[in-house]
Amino acid sequence: MTPELTALTLSALLQVFQIALMAVPANLELKSGQTMGPRDRDRMGGDLQDQVSKRTARLFRAMNNHFEGLILFSIACVVVTLAGQSSLFTTVCAFAYLGARVLYIPAYAFGWVPWRSLIWAVGYLATAAMLVAALI
């Protein structure tokens, strides 16, 4: 397995962790009928994110943000691997993405301003750099 695919696998496991990190407090804060039902906004009295604590809502948004980032990162890892373009540079970028995503969780949960955005940018730029590296 290439180092980029290793970083991708670890990033997917981080997403598994983030789901649990958000789900446990959300289930403790909400009624079982809310979390086990179809979650229709009109039936629930609004979005469930609006009914949990600020930190749990932030964990929910951080989890969703990682889903979004993971799409591009997955493409970058697969393209680098299939194109045979794995290098020290793409390896560093892949693990920079992973490190940024790990740091992004507490940065979002605890409202670190402006660090949350800067940490996000590191992961985003690392992913973009991998895609460019695969082309050259």
Side-chain angles (χ1 to χ4, degrees), residues 39-102:
R39 300 182 188 180
D40 298 326
R41 294 177 126 230
D42 58 338
R43 189 175 145 258
M44 305 310 303
D47 190 354
L48 289 184
Q49 277 192 71
D50 297 333
Q51 300 176 39
V52 294
S53 68
K54 186 182 289 187
R55 178 147 311 130
T56 300
R58 287 176 178 172
L59 289 170
F60 190 94
R61 292 190 300 272
M63 177 197 69
N64 282 338
N65 184 275
H66 190 202
F67 273 123
E68 295 166 2
L70 200 51
I71 294 167
L72 279 177
F73 183 63
S74 297
I75 293 167
C77 290
V78 169
V79 167
V80 164
T81 300
L82 292 179
Q85 294 289 76
S86 180
S87 66
L88 178 60
F89 178 75
T90 59
T91 297
V92 169
C93 287
F95 283 94
Y97 171 87
L98 178 59
R101 293 316 308 190
V102 168

Side-chain angles (χ1 to χ4, degrees), residues 88-135:
L88 178 60
F89 178 75
T90 59
T91 297
V92 169
C93 287
F95 283 94
Y97 171 87
L98 178 59
R101 293 316 308 190
V102 168
L103 290 174
Y104 190 78
I105 299 167
Y108 210 138
F110 297 109
W112 297 347
V113 177
W115 305 109
R116 177 187 64 87
S117 296
L118 295 173
I119 292 166
W120 175 88
V122 168
Y124 180 76
L125 293 173
T127 300
M130 288 175 67
L131 290 166
V132 171
L135 292 173

